[in-house]
Structure formats: C-alpha cells, structure tokens
Amino acid sequence: MKVYDRLDRQYEKFAEEYKHAALRVLDSGWYILGNELEEFEKEFACYTGSPYCVGLNSGLDALILAVRALNIGPGDEVIVPANTYIATVLGITANGAVPVFCEPDEFYNLDASRIESLITDRTRAIMAVHLYGQAANMTAIKSLADSHGLYLIEDCAQSHSAKFDGITTGTWGDVGCFSFYPTKNLGAFGDAGAVLVKDKELAEKFRALRNYGSQVKYHNDYCGINSRLDEMQAALLRVKLSHLDELIHERGRLKDKYLSGIKNPAIILPKVREKSGHVWHLFVIRCERRDELHDYLESKGIHTQIHYPIPPHMQKCYNYLGHQKGEFPVAEKLADEVLSLPFYNGMTYDEIKYVIDAVNAF
Ligand SMILES: *Cc1c(COP(=O)(O)O)cnc(C)c1O
C-alpha cells in the first residue's frame, strides 16, 4: 500500500460543486475583484466572527502586509516563535523589521512565560502562530500585548476555525493572517490568502495595499503590491468553506484513530492544551530516532514529512541576524524529532490502520 498526503480525495468529495462554481466564474466574464471575492470575504468574516475580511493572494502576503499596514519597519522588533514556518519570519524581515525568536512550549506554540523577558523599547508586536492547527495560549499572549502596548498579529495559516477559550483564532489580535494554500484545512486550488481585521480603516488600508496601494483608480495613497484573491479561487473557497466544519470533524475522527492506535514507547504523541481548540491541520509525532523512523516508514510505502527540519534562525538567509546553533535548544530539538504522519481528508480506515501498524512495528 502507498500512503501519502493527497488532495484528490478532498476534491472528489464535492467535485460537482467545485465544477459548478468554476464554470460560473468562467461564464461570468469577470475574473478579478468581483462578486465572488466580495461574497467569500463576507462569508469568511461571518464564519470567524470577525467584522472584516480582505482577500489576498497568499498567506505570505497576508503576513507581509499585516506588518506593513501597522507601520512596523526598520529598527522595529517583532517577537515570533523560533519553531515556525519561514513565511512567518519573512513577513517581518520583508519589511526591514527584526524577528526576535521565542522558544515554544510543550504544545509547540509560543511559550507565553518567556515573552516578557524579550520585550525591549523597540518591540512593536507579538506574532503568534497556531502551529499544526492548535490555538496558542491566547489569553496570556493577548494580556502581555495589551499591558505592553504591542500589536498582536496571528499567523492562522494552519488554524482555520480553531478557537482558544471559545474565540476564533485570527480574531484575538489586530490582524489575523490566513493562507488558503491547497494543503491547508481551508485550501483553495491555487494560491490564496486573507486577513481578518476589526478596524474599518485598517480593512480599507489592506484593500488599497493589495491593489498597488490605490483605493481610487490611478490615485495611490500607499506603495502597495498586487495581491488580489482572484474570482476563481474565491468561488472554489466558498464551496470549501460551506463544508469546512464537516472536513474538520473528519480530521478529528482520523486523529482519534492515531491517538488510540499508536502504542510505541519510542513515539511521543501530540498533546492538547486545556481551552485550546485543535483543528488537526497536521498530525505531528516526535521520535528521537526520527530519521530512522522516516526511512522505515518510507520502505513500507508510507510517505511522511517534516514540519520543519531547519528552524528559521538556522537558515542561511538569516545568517545576518547572527544566531548560533544551541541558542534555541527547544526549537532545535523539535526540528530534529518531529515527523508528520500522512493525514488528509478522505483517508480511509485501512490506510490509517496500515500507518498505525507500521509505526507500532518500528
Ligand atoms: C503555509 C503557511 C504560511 C504561508 O502561506 P502561503 O499561502 O503558502 O504563502 C505561513 N505560515 C504558516 C505557519 C504556514 O503554514
């Protein structure tokens, strides 16, 4: 048997609806900044309980524009988890600001107890990431941001619909940044992203920034970019959004199988924090002999992934920040031990049992 993360199964579930939406867009003769995007923005804002949603071209653009819209730039510092995907950090450095890395807690999210000691008079924002689909400790993080007068930006690329203490991720802070990359829980069929904001003026600023910085055609108030969520992706996302709860429930059932089936003392299973919603974007285990486990599973036809093998502070592109190996031991240990098992909508019980048996036999 071959088991690997596959997108064809989730497409097949609602294929007729996707085809119908795609043809509606093709037939409409209108492909950028139209009705589909407006409706998707309303529907996603309503779904998350946020006053405003602005559709963009990717999750990375959402992060870059979030930092830019809040006027954070050269000389400013932003606190960010040391174990996140590179895009979170690129959102900061693309604006000339400095990422200040913070170690994660046992749930792989920002360790709130370590944030205060990183705050300086140049700190402007905290960037929280809800990694693997589990909400970070938002009550603590928000109260730190508030008491120090810092902006709070959330990277929700993996956490669509996840809540902390009943409040949806992406609505806790000043800007919630989303990716709709095809593998995400709310994935499009190409690149797409969005921000959630509470403030009307800020929403208008994002609308301008995504369209060359212009609100009125040929009048440019900001130096913007081209980052529009196109009509085709918006229409397809509307279909997916209408089934998102069902898709997340299915992931929950698959996760239960893994949690109850994997019984190997060499494996550390993921834990869920009290009050944290978890939408199980990824099912990430840990193993000291991770590379051996990876090769063993590969030999059984099971393709696993590593999210992420090199922490941002050790990436070549960030040599200029001057960090050393050993500076963030918790994040570095995670990079050496994490392994994402195959996990996708449409995964059959036979497939998951095959993976469980192989992990237990290791
Ligand atoms: C996927 C992802 C991004 C980037 O999103 P794109 O749409 O691919 O640009 C940013 N942050 C995290 C945590 C992600 O998983």
Side-chain angles (χ1 to χ4, degrees):
M1 194 184 289
K2 288 238 179 301
V3 192
Y4 58 96
D5 284 340
R6 48 195 298 176
L7 292 173
D8 52 339
R9 297 271 181 81
Q10 54 90 32
Y11 165 69
E12 283 157 12
K13 271 176 197 286
F14 313 112
E16 289 314 310
E17 289 176 62
Y18 292 126
K19 286 177 192 168
H20 183 80
L23 283 177
R24 183 175 72 226
V25 174
L26 290 175
D27 288 341
S28 74
W30 192 278
Y31 308 115
I32 297 275
L33 293 181
N35 183 57
E36 299 288 348
L37 175 59
E38 260 179 49
E39 291 303 313
F40 172 71
E41 287 175 338
K42 276 190 220 151
E43 288 163 8
F44 193 56
C46 178
Y47 180 85
T48 51
S50 174
Y52 303 99
C53 169
V54 181
L56 302 169
N57 192 252
S58 72
L60 175 59
D61 281 357
L63 291 156
I64 292 174
L65 293 184
V67 171
R68 188 172 305 175
L70 298 172
N71 298 317
I72 298 170
D76 295 333
E77 294 175 358
V78 179
I79 294 170
V80 63
N83 63 320
T84 188
Y85 183 50
I86 194 77
T88 320
V89 187
L90 288 171
I92 300 166
T93 57
N95 290 286
V98 178
V100 174
F101 296 107
C102 179
E103 290 270 45
D105 58 21
E106 62 187 304
F107 307 99
Y108 313 140
N109 278 321
L110 263 185
D111 185 343
S113 72
R114 296 186 193 236
I115 292 177
E116 198 142 39
S117 66
L118 301 172
I119 296 174
T120 71
D121 50 11
R122 322 213 76 162
T123 311
R124 298 287 312 285
I126 300 172
M127 185 97 92
V129 183
H130 310 290
L131 204 67
Y132 307 149
Q134 175 165 211
N137 187 0
M138 292 312 284
T139 317
I141 295 169
K142 170 108 173 80
S143 88
L144 279 165
D146 288 346
S147 64
H148 291 272
L150 305 175
Y151 288 120
L152 177 55
I153 303 171
E154 297 174 77
D155 180 340
C156 307
Q158 304 188 358
S159 74
H160 316 80
S161 187
K163 295 170 182 63
F164 186 82
D165 204 9
I167 299 174
T168 309
T169 54
T171 67
W172 277 86
D174 298 281
V175 187
C177 303
F178 288 82
S179 164
F180 306 122
Y181 183 77
T183 59
K184 311 290 183 183
N185 283 13
L186 178 58
F189 295 79
D191 275 311
V195 288
L196 295 180
V197 287
K198 297 186 186 73
D199 185 80
K200 186 164 195 281
E201 267 172 51
L202 194 54
E204 291 308 319
K205 190 169 182 183
F206 277 107
R207 286 186 210 289
L209 283 171
R210 74 175 172 191
N211 196 32
Y212 316 112
S214 147
Q215 264 161 323
V216 178
K217 207 170 186 181
Y218 306 129
H219 293 257
N220 291 68
D221 299 335
Y222 312 103
C223 295
I225 59 176
N226 173 354
S227 183
R228 301 170 298 220
L229 201 175
D230 66 71
E231 290 288 284
M232 182 64 83
Q233 299 307 331
L236 296 168
L237 281 167
R238 292 179 66 195
V239 174
K240 181 79 76 68
L241 181 60
S242 74
H243 296 294
L244 183 59
D245 288 345
E246 183 184 338
L247 292 167
I248 291 171
H249 273 122
E250 182 188 9
R251 301 181 88 84
R253 288 197 299 276
L254 294 170
K255 164 273 296 186
D256 287 339
K257 296 269 168 210
Y258 270 147
L259 284 182
S260 61
I262 297 176
K263 291 188 170 58
N264 181 335
I267 305 293
I268 299 174
L269 291 167
K271 281 182 291 196
V272 181
R273 185 200 310 273
E274 204 189 325
K275 290 192 188 171
S276 274
H278 199 323
V279 291
W280 301 95
H281 170 56
L282 296 168
F283 192 91
V284 179
I285 60 173
R286 273 165 55 206
C287 178
E288 275 184 21
R289 290 152 57 210
R290 191 265 317 274
D291 294 341
E292 258 178 86
L293 174 60
H294 167 274
D295 293 350
Y296 175 78
L297 294 175
E298 200 71 36
S299 76
K300 302 277 172 207
I302 298 166
H303 184 61
T304 57
Q305 298 190 67
I306 297 169
H307 299 95
Y308 300 92
I310 306 172
H313 72 277
M314 296 304 297
Q315 296 286 358
K316 207 161 147 192
C317 67
Y318 289 135
N319 273 350
Y320 75 90
L321 293 170
H323 291 295
Q324 307 295 321
K325 191 166 170 60
E327 221 181 310
F328 300 95
V330 183
E332 289 168 29
K333 189 169 156 66
L334 286 178
D336 289 338
E337 295 186 351
V338 291
L339 190 70
S340 306
L341 297 180
F343 195 69
Y344 47 93
N345 285 108
M347 189 175 193
T348 66
Y349 286 154
D350 280 348
E351 286 168 338
I352 204 157
K353 183 164 187 317
Y354 182 73
V355 179
I356 290 168
D357 290 345
V359 169
N360 287 339
F362 172 67

